Structure formats: C-alpha cells, structure tokens
Amino acid sequence: MYSKLTTIMIIGVLCLSACVNQKNTNGKNTTMENKTDTVDAIIIGFDARRCQCCGGFMVTFSNDPTPYKADHYQWRPKQGQETFGVSHSSKFPMYVKIKYKAVASDCVASKGEIEITAMEAKQK
C-alpha cells in the first residue's frame, strides 16, 4: 500500500517527533533545574554549527570535556550580559564552578539552554 520511501519518511517523522516531545510545553528540558548553589561544570568550547538554534558555548556537567560528544547545554550570553571573561579565543576546556538558570528554548541541538549567573575558575 505504501512505498518503502513513504514508510521510511513516516518513521523519520515519528522519531523526530519523539525527540521534540522530550521537552515540556514551555520549551525547557524537563530534567533542567535552576541552580542557585555553585556546581562544577566544564565549558568545552564554542558551538560553531550553523543551525537555527546552534551556537554559543557548550557547557557540560559530566566529566567528559569532548566537544559535540559530551551531553552539553548551550550558554549564549546576550549583548550586555556578563561573560566572566569567556570568549571565542579562550582556552578550552575550562573547568569552572557556576550558578545558572534554565532558559526557555525549543532547540533539540543540545540538552537545553542556560544562563550563567555566577562563575569562578576551578582547579582541575
């Protein structure tokens, strides 16, 4: 009844739908919490991919500092927001302690988007 191509396309759409549905209705990743206490993190680099919601710095809370491999969150400081001295030319990975809050986002290019509200360097 359906061609193989149609079946593959339907399966692809269902898989993509499942990925998008992992986010709750306000766009935040359902596992994301605001952190008012300082937590260990690694800024693993700048996300140079060119998709609609890519870009910014990749921040992971795991021990894996490998860009694009480690589960990461996006930190995209807006114009005028504090960057804590982090720039494209910084040496990565950067081991830090941060406070952060979740930012509403429907992007599935990462685990979600965060805004860092405080940062200090951490001894590796």
Side-chain angles (χ1 to χ4, degrees), residues 4-41:
K4 286 183 181 179
L5 180 60
T6 303
T7 303
I8 291 171
M9 288 174 50
I10 291 170
I11 291 171
V13 168
L14 291 174
C15 288
L16 181 59
S17 224
C19 290
V20 172
N21 285 334
Q22 287 180 349
K23 306 250 179 190
N24 64 18
T25 55
N26 67 1
K28 292 181 188 172
N29 185 312
T30 56
T31 61
M32 174 60 76
E33 298 175 13
N34 294 337
K35 292 294 181 185
T36 54
D37 295 329
T38 304
V39 296
D40 292 340

PDB file of all heavy atoms in Angstrom, residues 4-41:
ATOM      1  N   LYS A   4       8.249   1.952   0.110  1.00  0.00           N
ATOM      2  CA  LYS A   4       9.289   1.883   1.146  1.00  0.00           C
ATOM      3  C   LYS A   4       9.736   3.282   1.546  1.00  0.00           C
ATOM      4  O   LYS A   4       9.961   3.554   2.724  1.00  0.00           O
ATOM      5  CB  LYS A   4      10.487   1.083   0.642  1.00  0.00           C
ATOM      6  CG  LYS A   4      10.231  -0.397   0.574  1.00  0.00           C
ATOM      7  CD  LYS A   4      11.483  -1.130   0.132  1.00  0.00           C
ATOM      8  CE  LYS A   4      11.201  -2.615   0.039  1.00  0.00           C
ATOM      9  NZ  LYS A   4      12.377  -3.362  -0.401  1.00  0.00           N
ATOM     10  N   LEU A   5       9.841   4.181   0.578  1.00  0.00           N
ATOM     11  CA  LEU A   5      10.254   5.552   0.864  1.00  0.00           C
ATOM     12  C   LEU A   5       9.243   6.242   1.776  1.00  0.00           C
ATOM     13  O   LEU A   5       9.618   6.914   2.744  1.00  0.00           O
ATOM     14  CB  LEU A   5      10.417   6.348  -0.432  1.00  0.00           C
ATOM     15  CG  LEU A   5      10.845   7.808  -0.271  1.00  0.00           C
ATOM     16  CD1 LEU A   5      12.191   7.894   0.441  1.00  0.00           C
ATOM     17  CD2 LEU A   5      10.924   8.496  -1.623  1.00  0.00           C
ATOM     18  N   THR A   6       7.965   6.077   1.518  1.00  0.00           N
ATOM     19  CA  THR A   6       6.927   6.670   2.364  1.00  0.00           C
ATOM     20  C   THR A   6       7.013   6.121   3.777  1.00  0.00           C
ATOM     21  O   THR A   6       6.920   6.871   4.755  1.00  0.00           O
ATOM     22  CB  THR A   6       5.526   6.405   1.769  1.00  0.00           C
ATOM     23  OG1 THR A   6       5.481   6.912   0.442  1.00  0.00           O
ATOM     24  CG2 THR A   6       4.445   7.056   2.603  1.00  0.00           C
ATOM     25  N   THR A   7       7.213   4.835   3.909  1.00  0.00           N
ATOM     26  CA  THR A   7       7.331   4.206   5.230  1.00  0.00           C
ATOM     27  C   THR A   7       8.539   4.760   5.980  1.00  0.00           C
ATOM     28  O   THR A   7       8.441   5.097   7.162  1.00  0.00           O
ATOM     29  CB  THR A   7       7.451   2.675   5.085  1.00  0.00           C
ATOM     30  OG1 THR A   7       6.324   2.194   4.363  1.00  0.00           O
ATOM     31  CG2 THR A   7       7.526   2.005   6.439  1.00  0.00           C
ATOM     32  N   ILE A   8       9.673   4.895   5.299  1.00  0.00           N
ATOM     33  CA  ILE A   8      10.876   5.442   5.933  1.00  0.00           C
ATOM     34  C   ILE A   8      10.637   6.887   6.359  1.00  0.00           C
ATOM     35  O   ILE A   8      11.037   7.293   7.448  1.00  0.00           O
ATOM     36  CB  ILE A   8      12.078   5.326   4.975  1.00  0.00           C
ATOM     37  CG1 ILE A   8      12.455   3.853   4.802  1.00  0.00           C
ATOM     38  CG2 ILE A   8      13.268   6.141   5.480  1.00  0.00           C
ATOM     39  CD1 ILE A   8      13.469   3.583   3.719  1.00  0.00           C
ATOM     40  N   MET A   9       9.953   7.661   5.524  1.00  0.00           N
ATOM     41  CA  MET A   9       9.671   9.054   5.872  1.00  0.00           C
ATOM     42  C   MET A   9       8.761   9.142   7.090  1.00  0.00           C
ATOM     43  O   MET A   9       8.965   9.971   7.969  1.00  0.00           O
ATOM     44  CB  MET A   9       9.059   9.789   4.675  1.00  0.00           C
ATOM     45  CG  MET A   9      10.070  10.049   3.576  1.00  0.00           C
ATOM     46  SD  MET A   9       9.384  10.763   2.058  1.00  0.00           S
ATOM     47  CE  MET A   9       8.423  12.126   2.643  1.00  0.00           C
ATOM     48  N   ILE A  10       7.772   8.285   7.171  1.00  0.00           N
ATOM     49  CA  ILE A  10       6.858   8.281   8.326  1.00  0.00           C
ATOM     50  C   ILE A  10       7.626   7.938   9.593  1.00  0.00           C
ATOM     51  O   ILE A  10       7.454   8.577  10.626  1.00  0.00           O
ATOM     52  CB  ILE A  10       5.682   7.310   8.089  1.00  0.00           C
ATOM     53  CG1 ILE A  10       4.765   7.867   6.993  1.00  0.00           C
ATOM     54  CG2 ILE A  10       4.904   7.066   9.382  1.00  0.00           C
ATOM     55  CD1 ILE A  10       3.704   6.898   6.511  1.00  0.00           C
ATOM     56  N   ILE A  11       8.489   6.932   9.516  1.00  0.00           N
ATOM     57  CA  ILE A  11       9.288   6.542  10.685  1.00  0.00           C
ATOM     58  C   ILE A  11      10.199   7.694  11.111  1.00  0.00           C
ATOM     59  O   ILE A  11      10.327   7.995  12.295  1.00  0.00           O
ATOM     60  CB  ILE A  11      10.103   5.267  10.381  1.00  0.00           C
ATOM     61  CG1 ILE A  11       9.154   4.072  10.255  1.00  0.00           C
ATOM     62  CG2 ILE A  11      11.153   5.013  11.465  1.00  0.00           C
ATOM     63  CD1 ILE A  11       9.802   2.805   9.746  1.00  0.00           C
ATOM     64  N   GLY A  12      10.801   8.387  10.133  1.00  0.00           N
ATOM     65  CA  GLY A  12      11.659   9.530  10.432  1.00  0.00           C
ATOM     66  C   GLY A  12      10.913  10.635  11.141  1.00  0.00           C
ATOM     67  O   GLY A  12      11.393  11.209  12.112  1.00  0.00           O
ATOM     68  N   VAL A  13       9.703  10.941  10.662  1.00  0.00           N
ATOM     69  CA  VAL A  13       8.888  11.984  11.289  1.00  0.00           C
ATOM     70  C   VAL A  13       8.517  11.583  12.714  1.00  0.00           C
ATOM     71  O   VAL A  13       8.556  12.398  13.635  1.00  0.00           O
ATOM     72  CB  VAL A  13       7.628  12.283  10.445  1.00  0.00           C
ATOM     73  CG1 VAL A  13       6.642  13.141  11.204  1.00  0.00           C
ATOM     74  CG2 VAL A  13       8.018  12.947   9.139  1.00  0.00           C
ATOM     75  N   LEU A  14       8.186  10.328  12.935  1.00  0.00           N
ATOM     76  CA  LEU A  14       7.840   9.860  14.277  1.00  0.00           C
ATOM     77  C   LEU A  14       9.038   9.947  15.219  1.00  0.00           C
ATOM     78  O   LEU A  14       8.889  10.340  16.377  1.00  0.00           O
ATOM     79  CB  LEU A  14       7.311   8.424  14.219  1.00  0.00           C
ATOM     80  CG  LEU A  14       5.940   8.244  13.544  1.00  0.00           C
ATOM     81  CD1 LEU A  14       5.594   6.770  13.414  1.00  0.00           C
ATOM     82  CD2 LEU A  14       4.866   8.979  14.324  1.00  0.00           C
ATOM     83  N   CYS A  15      10.223   9.606  14.728  1.00  0.00           N
ATOM     84  CA  CYS A  15      11.433   9.708  15.557  1.00  0.00           C
ATOM     85  C   CYS A  15      11.720  11.155  15.927  1.00  0.00           C
ATOM     86  O   CYS A  15      12.026  11.465  17.076  1.00  0.00           O
ATOM     87  CB  CYS A  15      12.634   9.102  14.832  1.00  0.00           C
ATOM     88  SG  CYS A  15      12.571   7.306  14.728  1.00  0.00           S
ATOM     89  N   LEU A  16      11.613  12.058  14.956  1.00  0.00           N
ATOM     90  CA  LEU A  16      11.830  13.471  15.220  1.00  0.00           C
ATOM     91  C   LEU A  16      10.805  13.998  16.204  1.00  0.00           C
ATOM     92  O   LEU A  16      11.111  14.749  17.116  1.00  0.00           O
ATOM     93  CB  LEU A  16      11.764  14.270  13.916  1.00  0.00           C
ATOM     94  CG  LEU A  16      12.006  15.773  14.025  1.00  0.00           C
ATOM     95  CD1 LEU A  16      13.383  16.043  14.606  1.00  0.00           C
ATOM     96  CD2 LEU A  16      11.869  16.425  12.674  1.00  0.00           C
ATOM     97  N   SER A  17       9.575  13.558  16.052  1.00  0.00           N
ATOM     98  CA  SER A  17       8.502  13.956  16.961  1.00  0.00           C
ATOM     99  C   SER A  17       8.808  13.515  18.386  1.00  0.00           C
ATOM    100  O   SER A  17       8.586  14.249  19.339  1.00  0.00           O
ATOM    101  CB  SER A  17       7.214  13.294  16.502  1.00  0.00           C
ATOM    102  OG  SER A  17       6.153  14.158  16.526  1.00  0.00           O
ATOM    103  N   ALA A  18       9.333  12.324  18.533  1.00  0.00           N
ATOM    104  CA  ALA A  18       9.676  11.810  19.865  1.00  0.00           C
ATOM    105  C   ALA A  18      10.758  12.667  20.505  1.00  0.00           C
ATOM    106  O   ALA A  18      10.709  12.957  21.696  1.00  0.00           O
ATOM    107  CB  ALA A  18      10.127  10.357  19.769  1.00  0.00           C
ATOM    108  N   CYS A  19      11.748  13.120  19.720  1.00  0.00           N
ATOM    109  CA  CYS A  19      12.807  13.980  20.243  1.00  0.00           C
ATOM    110  C   CYS A  19      12.236  15.306  20.725  1.00  0.00           C
ATOM    111  O   CYS A  19      12.570  15.789  21.788  1.00  0.00           O
ATOM    112  CB  CYS A  19      13.861  14.249  19.176  1.00  0.00           C
ATOM    113  SG  CYS A  19      14.858  12.808  18.782  1.00  0.00           S
ATOM    114  N   VAL A  20      11.381  15.907  19.937  1.00  0.00           N
ATOM    115  CA  VAL A  20      10.793  17.193  20.292  1.00  0.00           C
ATOM    116  C   VAL A  20       9.902  17.057  21.518  1.00  0.00           C
ATOM    117  O   VAL A  20       9.880  17.915  22.379  1.00  0.00           O
ATOM    118  CB  VAL A  20      10.008  17.788  19.098  1.00  0.00           C
ATOM    119  CG1 VAL A  20       9.226  19.013  19.512  1.00  0.00           C
ATOM    120  CG2 VAL A  20      10.965  18.111  17.965  1.00  0.00           C
ATOM    121  N   ASN A  21       9.194  15.950  21.645  1.00  0.00           N
ATOM    122  CA  ASN A  21       8.290  15.753  22.768  1.00  0.00           C
ATOM    123  C   ASN A  21       9.006  15.519  24.083  1.00  0.00           C
ATOM    124  O   ASN A  21       8.380  15.476  25.125  1.00  0.00           O
ATOM    125  CB  ASN A  21       7.329  14.598  22.488  1.00  0.00           C
ATOM    126  CG  ASN A  21       6.255  15.003  21.508  1.00  0.00           C
ATOM    127  OD1 ASN A  21       5.923  16.173  21.399  1.00  0.00           O
ATOM    128  ND2 ASN A  21       5.727  14.031  20.785  1.00  0.00           N
ATOM    129  N   GLN A  22      10.332  15.378  24.079  1.00  0.00           N
ATOM    130  CA  GLN A  22      11.068  15.249  25.329  1.00  0.00           C
ATOM    131  C   GLN A  22      11.113  16.567  26.072  1.00  0.00           C
ATOM    132  O   GLN A  22      11.448  16.621  27.229  1.00  0.00           O
ATOM    133  CB  GLN A  22      12.489  14.760  25.066  1.00  0.00           C
ATOM    134  CG  GLN A  22      12.529  13.311  24.674  1.00  0.00           C
ATOM    135  CD  GLN A  22      13.957  12.852  24.415  1.00  0.00           C
ATOM    136  OE1 GLN A  22      14.875  13.658  24.330  1.00  0.00           O
ATOM    137  NE2 GLN A  22      14.122  11.567  24.296  1.00  0.00           N
ATOM    138  N   LYS A  23      10.765  17.644  25.439  1.00  0.00           N
ATOM    139  CA  LYS A  23      10.714  18.956  26.076  1.00  0.00           C
ATOM    140  C   LYS A  23       9.289  19.185  26.582  1.00  0.00           C
ATOM    141  O   LYS A  23       8.336  18.713  26.013  1.00  0.00           O
ATOM    142  CB  LYS A  23      11.060  20.048  25.069  1.00  0.00           C
ATOM    143  CG  LYS A  23      12.374  19.808  24.377  1.00  0.00           C
ATOM    144  CD  LYS A  23      13.358  20.783  24.821  1.00  0.00           C
ATOM    145  CE  LYS A  23      14.683  20.496  24.110  1.00  0.00           C
ATOM    146  NZ  LYS A  23      15.714  21.252  24.655  1.00  0.00           N
ATOM    147  N   ASN A  24       9.142  19.912  27.691  1.00  0.00           N
ATOM    148  CA  ASN A  24       7.794  20.191  28.159  1.00  0.00           C
ATOM    149  C   ASN A  24       7.217  21.377  27.395  1.00  0.00           C
ATOM    150  O   ASN A  24       7.860  21.954  26.545  1.00  0.00           O
ATOM    151  CB  ASN A  24       7.777  20.386  29.686  1.00  0.00           C
ATOM    152  CG  ASN A  24       8.560  21.590  30.132  1.00  0.00           C
ATOM    153  OD1 ASN A  24       8.861  22.480  29.355  1.00  0.00           O
ATOM    154  ND2 ASN A  24       8.897  21.632  31.397  1.00  0.00           N
ATOM    155  N   THR A  25       6.000  21.786  27.725  1.00  0.00           N
ATOM    156  CA  THR A  25       5.291  22.758  26.906  1.00  0.00           C
ATOM    157  C   THR A  25       5.902  24.151  26.925  1.00  0.00           C
ATOM    158  O   THR A  25       5.718  24.905  25.998  1.00  0.00           O
ATOM    159  CB  THR A  25       3.824  22.868  27.348  1.00  0.00           C
ATOM    160  OG1 THR A  25       3.789  23.173  28.744  1.00  0.00           O
ATOM    161  CG2 THR A  25       3.090  21.583  27.069  1.00  0.00           C
ATOM    162  N   ASN A  26       6.648  24.520  27.962  1.00  0.00           N
ATOM    163  CA  ASN A  26       7.248  25.850  27.948  1.00  0.00           C
ATOM    164  C   ASN A  26       8.626  25.831  27.302  1.00  0.00           C
ATOM    165  O   ASN A  26       9.338  26.819  27.334  1.00  0.00           O
ATOM    166  CB  ASN A  26       7.308  26.462  29.348  1.00  0.00           C
ATOM    167  CG  ASN A  26       8.252  25.743  30.275  1.00  0.00           C
ATOM    168  OD1 ASN A  26       8.899  24.774  29.893  1.00  0.00           O
ATOM    169  ND2 ASN A  26       8.338  26.212  31.501  1.00  0.00           N
ATOM    170  N   GLY A  27       9.019  24.720  26.710  1.00  0.00           N
ATOM    171  CA  GLY A  27      10.245  24.665  25.950  1.00  0.00           C
ATOM    172  C   GLY A  27      11.461  24.232  26.732  1.00  0.00           C
ATOM    173  O   GLY A  27      12.500  23.986  26.175  1.00  0.00           O
ATOM    174  N   LYS A  28      11.371  24.132  28.044  1.00  0.00           N
ATOM    175  CA  LYS A  28      12.534  23.750  28.827  1.00  0.00           C
ATOM    176  C   LYS A  28      12.694  22.238  28.826  1.00  0.00           C
ATOM    177  O   LYS A  28      11.730  21.497  28.817  1.00  0.00           O
ATOM    178  CB  LYS A  28      12.394  24.214  30.275  1.00  0.00           C
ATOM    179  CG  LYS A  28      12.447  25.713  30.428  1.00  0.00           C
ATOM    180  CD  LYS A  28      12.336  26.069  31.873  1.00  0.00           C
ATOM    181  CE  LYS A  28      12.193  27.551  32.073  1.00  0.00           C
ATOM    182  NZ  LYS A  28      11.892  27.881  33.446  1.00  0.00           N
ATOM    183  N   ASN A  29      13.920  21.805  28.870  1.00  0.00           N
ATOM    184  CA  ASN A  29      14.200  20.389  29.019  1.00  0.00           C
ATOM    185  C   ASN A  29      13.648  19.983  30.382  1.00  0.00           C
ATOM    186  O   ASN A  29      13.879  20.642  31.386  1.00  0.00           O
ATOM    187  CB  ASN A  29      15.718  20.181  28.955  1.00  0.00           C
ATOM    188  CG  ASN A  29      16.095  18.731  28.969  1.00  0.00           C
ATOM    189  OD1 ASN A  29      15.608  17.959  29.788  1.00  0.00           O
ATOM    190  ND2 ASN A  29      16.973  18.359  28.072  1.00  0.00           N
ATOM    191  N   THR A  30      12.910  18.886  30.451  1.00  0.00           N
ATOM    192  CA  THR A  30      12.226  18.523  31.689  1.00  0.00           C
ATOM    193  C   THR A  30      13.185  18.138  32.803  1.00  0.00           C
ATOM    194  O   THR A  30      12.803  18.118  33.957  1.00  0.00           O
ATOM    195  CB  THR A  30      11.238  17.362  31.443  1.00  0.00           C
ATOM    196  OG1 THR A  30      11.961  16.277  30.866  1.00  0.00           O
ATOM    197  CG2 THR A  30      10.122  17.782  30.524  1.00  0.00           C
ATOM    198  N   THR A  31      14.441  17.838  32.501  1.00  0.00           N
ATOM    199  CA  THR A  31      15.403  17.484  33.544  1.00  0.00           C
ATOM    200  C   THR A  31      16.198  18.698  34.009  1.00  0.00           C
ATOM    201  O   THR A  31      16.982  18.598  34.923  1.00  0.00           O
ATOM    202  CB  THR A  31      16.379  16.401  33.046  1.00  0.00           C
ATOM    203  OG1 THR A  31      17.085  16.928  31.927  1.00  0.00           O
ATOM    204  CG2 THR A  31      15.652  15.140  32.661  1.00  0.00           C
ATOM    205  N   MET A  32      16.014  19.840  33.390  1.00  0.00           N
ATOM    206  CA  MET A  32      16.770  21.041  33.727  1.00  0.00           C
ATOM    207  C   MET A  32      16.215  21.685  34.984  1.00  0.00           C
ATOM    208  O   MET A  32      15.016  21.833  35.138  1.00  0.00           O
ATOM    209  CB  MET A  32      16.693  22.035  32.553  1.00  0.00           C
ATOM    210  CG  MET A  32      17.307  23.381  32.831  1.00  0.00           C
ATOM    211  SD  MET A  32      19.033  23.328  33.240  1.00  0.00           S
ATOM    212  CE  MET A  32      19.727  23.072  31.634  1.00  0.00           C
ATOM    213  N   GLU A  33      17.111  22.050  35.881  1.00  0.00           N
ATOM    214  CA  GLU A  33      16.732  22.747  37.098  1.00  0.00           C
ATOM    215  C   GLU A  33      17.578  24.003  37.212  1.00  0.00           C
ATOM    216  O   GLU A  33      18.720  24.034  36.766  1.00  0.00           O
ATOM    217  CB  GLU A  33      17.006  21.877  38.326  1.00  0.00           C
ATOM    218  CG  GLU A  33      16.234  20.586  38.369  1.00  0.00           C
ATOM    219  CD  GLU A  33      16.642  19.735  39.555  1.00  0.00           C
ATOM    220  OE1 GLU A  33      17.328  20.240  40.465  1.00  0.00           O
ATOM    221  OE2 GLU A  33      16.281  18.565  39.571  1.00  0.00           O
ATOM    222  N   ASN A  34      17.029  25.038  37.841  1.00  0.00           N
ATOM    223  CA  ASN A  34      17.827  26.215  38.136  1.00  0.00           C
ATOM    224  C   ASN A  34      18.742  25.870  39.300  1.00  0.00           C
ATOM    225  O   ASN A  34      18.336  25.194  40.236  1.00  0.00           O
ATOM    226  CB  ASN A  34      16.928  27.388  38.525  1.00  0.00           C
ATOM    227  CG  ASN A  34      16.080  27.846  37.359  1.00  0.00           C
ATOM    228  OD1 ASN A  34      16.418  27.610  36.210  1.00  0.00           O
ATOM    229  ND2 ASN A  34      14.979  28.487  37.657  1.00  0.00           N
ATOM    230  N   LYS A  35      19.983  26.331  39.235  1.00  0.00           N
ATOM    231  CA  LYS A  35      20.937  26.044  40.302  1.00  0.00           C
ATOM    232  C   LYS A  35      21.336  27.344  40.978  1.00  0.00           C
ATOM    233  O   LYS A  35      21.995  28.185  40.397  1.00  0.00           O
ATOM    234  CB  LYS A  35      22.188  25.348  39.752  1.00  0.00           C
ATOM    235  CG  LYS A  35      21.915  23.944  39.258  1.00  0.00           C
ATOM    236  CD  LYS A  35      21.526  23.038  40.406  1.00  0.00           C
ATOM    237  CE  LYS A  35      21.284  21.627  39.918  1.00  0.00           C
ATOM    238  NZ  LYS A  35      20.796  20.755  40.943  1.00  0.00           N
ATOM    239  N   THR A  36      20.898  27.503  42.225  1.00  0.00           N
ATOM    240  CA  THR A  36      21.279  28.676  42.982  1.00  0.00           C
ATOM    241  C   THR A  36      22.550  28.405  43.780  1.00  0.00           C
ATOM    242  O   THR A  36      23.190  29.326  44.247  1.00  0.00           O
ATOM    243  CB  THR A  36      20.146  29.111  43.931  1.00  0.00           C
ATOM    244  OG1 THR A  36      19.770  28.002  44.743  1.00  0.00           O
ATOM    245  CG2 THR A  36      18.939  29.587  43.139  1.00  0.00           C
ATOM    246  N   ASP A  37      22.914  27.126  43.938  1.00  0.00           N
ATOM    247  CA  ASP A  37      24.183  26.756  44.549  1.00  0.00           C
ATOM    248  C   ASP A  37      25.221  26.629  43.440  1.00  0.00           C
ATOM    249  O   ASP A  37      24.898  26.332  42.295  1.00  0.00           O
ATOM    250  CB  ASP A  37      24.070  25.406  45.276  1.00  0.00           C
ATOM    251  CG  ASP A  37      23.129  25.466  46.460  1.00  0.00           C
ATOM    252  OD1 ASP A  37      23.020  26.538  47.081  1.00  0.00           O
ATOM    253  OD2 ASP A  37      22.507  24.435  46.756  1.00  0.00           O
ATOM    254  N   THR A  38      26.473  26.828  43.762  1.00  0.00           N
ATOM    255  CA  THR A  38      27.542  26.682  42.789  1.00  0.00           C
ATOM    256  C   THR A  38      27.753  25.200  42.495  1.00  0.00           C
ATOM    257  O   THR A  38      27.810  24.384  43.414  1.00  0.00           O
ATOM    258  CB  THR A  38      28.834  27.305  43.334  1.00  0.00           C
ATOM    259  OG1 THR A  38      28.581  28.664  43.680  1.00  0.00           O
ATOM    260  CG2 THR A  38      29.938  27.272  42.307  1.00  0.00           C
ATOM    261  N   VAL A  39      27.849  24.862  41.204  1.00  0.00           N
ATOM    262  CA  VAL A  39      28.067  23.471  40.789  1.00  0.00           C
ATOM    263  C   VAL A  39      29.270  23.406  39.849  1.00  0.00           C
ATOM    264  O   VAL A  39      29.602  24.374  39.173  1.00  0.00           O
ATOM    265  CB  VAL A  39      26.826  22.876  40.084  1.00  0.00           C
ATOM    266  CG1 VAL A  39      25.642  22.796  41.033  1.00  0.00           C
ATOM    267  CG2 VAL A  39      26.457  23.661  38.840  1.00  0.00           C
ATOM    268  N   ASP A  40      29.916  22.245  39.819  1.00  0.00           N
ATOM    269  CA  ASP A  40      31.038  22.025  38.910  1.00  0.00           C
ATOM    270  C   ASP A  40      30.529  21.895  37.481  1.00  0.00           C
ATOM    271  O   ASP A  40      29.509  21.253  37.231  1.00  0.00           O
ATOM    272  CB  ASP A  40      31.791  20.744  39.282  1.00  0.00           C
ATOM    273  CG  ASP A  40      32.526  20.852  40.609  1.00  0.00           C
ATOM    274  OD1 ASP A  40      32.782  21.990  41.055  1.00  0.00           O
ATOM    275  OD2 ASP A  40      32.856  19.810  41.190  1.00  0.00           O
ATOM    276  N   ALA A  41      31.255  22.483  36.549  1.00  0.00           N
ATOM    277  CA  ALA A  41      30.905  22.406  35.132  1.00  0.00           C
ATOM    278  C   ALA A  41      32.183  22.523  34.312  1.00  0.00           C
ATOM    279  O   ALA A  41      33.231  22.926  34.824  1.00  0.00           O
ATOM    280  CB  ALA A  41      29.937  23.525  34.754  1.00  0.00           C
TER     281      ALA A  41
END
